[in-house]
Amino acid sequence: MKKDIIIDLKNIDVSYGENKILDNISLYIRDKEFITLLGPSGCGKTTTLRVIAGFTQPDCGDVIFNGKKINDLPPYKRQVNTIFQKYALFPHLNVFENIAFGLRLKKKSDKEIKERVAEMLELVNLKGFSKRNIDSLSGGQQQRVAIARALANDPKVLLLDEPLAALDLKLRKDMQVELKNIQQKLGITFIFVTHDQEEALSMSDTVVVMDNGVIQQIGTPQDIYNEPKNAFVADFIGESNILDGVMKEDFRARFSGHTFQCLDKGFGTGEAVDVVIRPEDIVVTTPDKGMISGTVTSVTFKGVHYEIIVDIRGFKWMIQSIHEQKVGDEIGLVIEPDSIHIMKKSIYSGKFGDYSSFSDEIDHLSDIEEEE
Amino acid sequence: MEKKTLSAKLLASPHIVWSVLFIIAPLIMVAYYSFTNADGNFTLENIKALSDYKEVFLNSIWYGIVATLICLVIAYPTAYFIARSKARVQSTMIMLVMLPMWTSLIVRTYSIMSLIENTGIINSFIQKLGFEPIQMINTSGAVILGMVYDFLPFMILPIYSVLTKLDNKLVEAAHDLGADKITVLTKVVLPLSRSGILSGITMVFVPSVSTFYISQKLGGGNFALVGEIIEGQFVTSNNFNLGASLSLVLMVLILICMAVMNHFSGDEEESSGGLMP
Ligand SMILES: Nc1ncnc2c1ncn2[C@@H]1O[C@H](COP(=O)(O)OP(=O)(O)OP(=O)(O)O)[C@@H](O)[C@H]1O
Ligand SMILES: [Mg+2]
């Protein structure tokens, strides 16, 4: 095993009653890495963090820290600190005392504590807040106190459970940059949890996509986006058209009534596969020049591009294009070989349909559900 | 706007009537009787007479403090334990705590009497085993026991109610920052249950200081508490004026005790944030 691995989860199972919450989770985390657990609500992200922090005992499997098994080590003895999903700041203590909590327990001198707290307050941009009551802080400020409180302890590993979920978009973007800076400056391993795929892609060195207590894919943001392992990952990360297809032979896939050149090989001849095509990779042209063609059913202006839904043989494709199209027009599509990604069939095949029921409203509703 | 305040006033009016009738008016009457003699003329005699009862007052407060502390020591772990159990266990145990409160204080005190009397249940048992009976009733211990038994639920319930509201995430956060179980208790759980402890103390201390029934029945009149004296003035001696002035001073003393306690517990939090020794 490589030397720079700081945390190693081996075949972790966690169940509550009948429900299997984590199913055979195996994952190693390198020192100083920014790793993100990404997945829908209830998929077991928080539970994974709790296993690492020591609040939840796995039914089976090992938690290894710096080469030592720590399954039985209580949370207060682990060199890991957590930023909880709802911050969990101490309401009876002011900002200073919240940040000093861990330092006081370590019996540091008053002078040391003062310096360290001041340093932390500066790091999270909260100078002058030390006397403030927790209740008097805004969500973003509480957030930063929580970060400072955890970092003051000089942890080897910081666990962050959706730390930005409660912030508005602008603050969230700022905090993303700040967190990333802090992580690089201090050289600490960050294990970050989010259900926001954009956040995951933009911040992480490694992304772990989870669903239903199972790790679906581990990889760099680029890998995850460009080479999703199955329909779930493809659908969860970004927009994608996922079609039923058949491999004719290496480098030739047939779907949507046309045989396309692609870059994928190693599938059986005639093997049924899932085909992923990202909406931004599709080139729009006239029907006669297209490899396939269909009728535009809706066009939405999104600022950077238009989101165009095209009906091709009953399958509603999504296309992102900077050129506007008219509803009812026939258009042709060109799909280059490197825009096609072939996946093996999985339990998720067929679960993610086309964009026929797609509307912003529905997207929005499900977002709200997730947050609750 | 006007309509709203009017309706608000109307809604509040039963409460106001209630307060005036049952809280303010009695207070005024107590004050009035304290400073008048039997003929209704102004006098300070009643207040001067109080110096004879100094010891009784001190005694009462001492008993109140002891009973309150014992209640606190028993109630806190009990409440903590209940608050930490499963929901179904919790409701059963809270029922058990509240059950005695549904019977009258008199019945509860009598039940203690029948336990600890010289010919009571415990002593007959001891005698059956062949030992000498133990004098339990009519001792100061019996009075304290009565107070603790009668008022314990008033300590458990408010502490329990703050503890159930305490977010377990805070406990976990403290563990996460390196606190062991005992530190979590002293630095997080105890400070956060302060309000429950304070109201528990109030609800036990006040009735303990002013009780007359318990000391009469379990102390056998050997341990005169101020409540007993007051009762005597009203019921036997028919000296309403002295009774009223005793009550008035008792009220003031209780208020002072509560203020002192509130002051100290409030201070502690401000000066050290509950963390520094
Ligand atoms: N103490 C518990 N008892 C029973 N079930 C639990 C417990 N804790 C978590 N679960 C269940 O485990 C599953 C995973 O929970 P977890 O908190 O890990 O989800 P998550 O991925 O963090 O979701 P979210 O994004 O909503 O925070 C959920 O279905 C949840 O209901
Ligand atoms: Mg969670």
Side-chain angles (χ1 to χ4, degrees):
Chain A
M1 180 193 293
K2 274 176 259 141
K3 257 212 307 265
D4 66 340
I5 288 173
I6 185 154
I7 289 178
D8 197 357
L9 300 180
K10 286 190 165 155
N11 311 95
I12 301 280
D13 276 4
V14 172
S15 308
Y16 288 117
E18 294 284 279
N19 302 330
K20 205 153 198 186
I21 306 300
L22 294 185
D23 191 354
N24 199 17
I25 295 286
S26 290
L27 171 68
Y28 62 81
I29 295 153
R30 281 193 221 94
D31 199 15
K32 300 188 174 46
E33 182 176 31
F34 195 123
I35 188 166
T36 298
L37 306 182
L38 173 65
S41 189
C43 73
K45 304 180 296 286
T46 299
T47 308
T48 309
L49 287 194
R50 290 175 62 85
V51 168
I52 297 173
F55 295 120
T56 299
Q57 278 295 322
D59 301 339
C60 63
D62 288 344
V63 184
I64 294 172
F65 186 89
N66 259 344
K68 272 195 231 80
K69 182 171 157 181
I70 56 164
N71 284 33
D72 299 325
L73 204 64
Y76 64 90
K77 288 192 178 151
R78 299 192 182 190
Q79 281 175 297
V80 190
N81 281 123
T82 309
I83 294 172
F84 290 84
Q85 197 158 5
K86 295 202 172 89
Y87 313 154
L89 297 171
F90 303 120
H92 60 299
L93 304 178
N94 63 18
V95 169
F96 185 97
E97 288 301 334
N98 262 280
I99 299 175
F101 193 90
L103 302 170
R104 292 219 192 275
L105 294 176
K106 285 190 188 139
K107 304 260 181 287
K108 302 265 195 225
S109 74
D110 269 5
K111 183 166 161 281
E112 235 175 316
I113 291 175
K114 262 200 189 127
E115 282 170 10
R116 183 80 180 145
V117 173
E119 193 185 330
M120 286 301 126
L121 283 172
E122 170 131 37
L123 185 74
V124 297
N125 264 326
L126 282 180
K127 261 174 145 179
F129 278 72
S130 53
K131 286 268 158 358
R132 288 278 290 272
N133 253 327
I134 294 305
D135 294 338
S136 75
L137 301 179
S138 73
Q141 290 161 345
Q142 293 191 10
Q143 167 61 61
R144 283 180 276 171
V145 174
I147 295 172
R149 182 178 71 174
L151 287 176
N153 272 5
D154 217 353
K156 274 253 188 307
V157 176
L158 190 63
L159 311 178
L160 304 97
D161 197 353
E162 305 203 29
L164 308 181
L167 309 183
D168 65 57
L169 192 67
K170 171 86 174 62
L171 193 57
R172 196 179 170 122
K173 297 269 181 227
D174 292 348
M175 287 298 297
Q176 286 176 5
V177 176
E178 257 179 77
L179 274 181
K180 185 81 194 172
N181 284 343
I182 289 173
Q183 189 253 341
Q184 281 168 350
K185 197 156 122 194
L186 302 181
I188 298 176
T189 309
F190 271 36
I191 306 179
F192 188 91
V193 162
T194 181
H195 56 242
D196 178 339
Q197 41 106 1
E198 210 181 303
E199 195 167 277
L201 294 182
S202 62
M203 297 176 80
S204 328
D205 301 320
T206 305
V207 178
V208 180
V209 185
M210 296 177 66
D211 184 45
N212 245 328
V214 178
I215 293 182
Q216 303 295 333
Q217 188 169 1
I218 304 177
T220 63
Q222 290 82 351
D223 284 349
I224 299 276
Y225 190 84
N226 294 330
E227 313 275 319
K229 275 227 176 89
N230 60 36
F232 173 82
V233 178
D235 181 77
F236 195 74
I237 313 286
E239 300 291 349
S240 31
N241 300 293
I242 305 171
L243 295 107
D244 276 329
V246 173
M247 276 319 263
K248 288 277 162 207
E249 55 192 51
D250 281 355
F251 311 117
R252 281 166 65 79
R254 184 168 180 85
F255 54 92
S256 212
H258 182 89
T259 304
F260 292 81
Q261 292 290 330
C262 63
L263 304 178
D264 302 76
K265 58 168 182 168
F267 295 86
T269 308
E271 183 178 342
V273 290
D274 285 335
V275 180
V276 180
I277 296 148
R278 298 289 183 185
E280 70 272 18
D281 292 340
I282 299 170
V283 181
V284 179
T285 141
T286 51
D288 53 317
K289 284 193 195 139
M291 298 165 168
I292 47 177
S293 63
T295 322
V296 176
T297 62
S298 100
V299 178
T300 319
F301 180 58
K302 287 282 175 181
V304 189
H305 55 250
Y306 292 92
E307 213 161 72
I308 301 160
I309 308 292
V310 190
D311 187 335
I312 299 175
R313 301 169 138 233
F315 187 94
K316 298 265 180 26
W317 290 62
M318 180 196 273
I319 299 165
Q320 292 168 352
S321 158
I322 50 171
H323 302 293
E324 189 176 3
Q325 304 294 332
K326 274 210 208 65
V327 173
D329 279 2
E330 272 289 297
I331 56 171
L333 311 188
V334 174
I335 302 165
E336 299 293 338
D338 63 354
S339 303
I340 295 171
H341 172 64
I342 309 285
M343 306 178 303
K344 281 209 179 292
K345 286 275 177 198
S346 69
I347 52 160
Y348 292 103
S349 300
K351 278 202 178 161
F352 304 97
D354 61 3
Y355 284 92
S356 52
S357 64
F358 177 76
S359 84
D360 278 351
E361 214 166 22
I362 289 171
D363 214 25
H364 197 68
L365 279 177
S366 65
D367 262 356
I368 290 169
E369 263 170 25
E370 263 177 22
E371 256 147 50
E372 270 168 7
Chain B
M1 272 305 277
E2 214 170 320
K3 207 171 154 199
K4 218 175 191 176
T5 45
L6 184 67
S7 64
K9 270 184 197 154
L10 280 176
L11 270 177
S13 61
H15 173 73
I16 294 170
V17 170
W18 176 272
S19 312
V20 170
L21 219 57
F22 296 107
I23 300 175
I24 316 246
L27 277 177
I28 293 174
M29 278 168 70
V30 168
Y32 170 77
Y33 275 113
S34 304
F35 293 101
T36 52
N37 61 19
D39 304 330
N41 297 322
F42 176 80
T43 175
L44 287 177
E45 282 307 305
N46 304 318
I47 305 292
K48 283 184 193 144
L50 289 178
S51 56
D52 301 342
Y53 297 101
K54 209 161 66 190
E55 210 166 305
V56 179
F57 272 112
L58 286 179
N59 222 7
S60 301
I61 289 181
W62 175 241
Y63 274 68
I65 290 176
V66 172
T68 308
L69 286 181
I70 295 176
C71 277
L72 183 60
V73 168
I74 300 174
Y76 199 92
T78 312
Y80 188 83
F81 176 72
I82 298 177
R84 292 263 136 165
S85 358
K86 293 213 178 72
R88 204 187 292 158
V89 183
Q90 275 189 30
S91 51
T92 320
M93 294 212 280
I94 284 302
M95 275 275 283
L96 288 178
V97 170
M98 295 209 310
L99 210 57
M101 287 161 71
W102 296 349
T103 56
S104 92
L105 181 83
I106 300 174
V107 175
R108 274 180 282 156
T109 310
Y110 263 104
S111 69
I112 293 201
M113 269 174 77
S114 66
L115 266 179
I116 64 172
E117 266 170 346
N118 291 341
T119 54
I121 298 174
I122 295 179
N123 270 330
S124 4
F125 184 69
I126 289 178
Q127 273 171 310
K128 278 221 179 85
L129 292 181
F131 296 100
E132 282 294 293
I134 304 167
Q135 176 67 39
M136 286 180 288
I137 196 146
N138 300 347
T139 60
S140 54
V143 177
I144 299 277
L145 174 72
M147 290 175 174
V148 170
Y149 175 72
D150 280 336
F151 303 128
L152 187 61
F154 297 108
M155 185 68 92
I156 295 181
L157 291 178
I159 296 178
Y160 163 78
S161 100
V162 289
L163 284 179
T164 45
K165 281 190 221 110
L166 193 139
D167 187 358
N168 194 43
K169 283 276 170 299
L170 295 176
V171 174
E172 290 189 346
H175 278 308
D176 190 75
L177 292 164
D180 56 24
K181 284 210 163 103
I182 294 183
T183 321
V184 170
L185 189 68
T186 55
K187 306 283 191 227
V188 177
V189 179
L190 268 175
L192 283 175
S193 42
R194 209 186 98 223
S195 66
I197 295 176
L198 287 190
S199 52
I201 289 179
T202 315
M203 285 164 73
V204 173
F205 180 71
V206 173
S208 298
V209 168
S210 48
T211 183
F212 59 88
Y213 198 76
I214 294 172
S215 58
Q216 239 170 34
K217 291 293 164 203
L218 300 176
N222 300 334
F223 306 91
L225 296 187
V226 64
E228 241 177 302
I229 308 279
I230 294 173
E231 195 225 5
Q233 294 307 322
F234 282 106
V235 179
T236 12
S237 323
N238 246 331
N239 188 346
F240 278 35
N241 306 95
L242 184 57
S245 69
L246 284 163
S247 310
L248 192 68
V249 172
L250 179 61
M251 270 189 277
V252 171
L253 280 177
I254 289 177
L255 283 179
I256 292 174
C257 288
M258 301 325 298
V260 166
M261 186 186 66
N262 267 313
H263 178 72
F264 277 116
S265 52
D267 238 22
E268 191 187 313
E269 190 198 43
E270 263 165 30
S271 60
S272 69
L275 253 184
M276 286 288 283

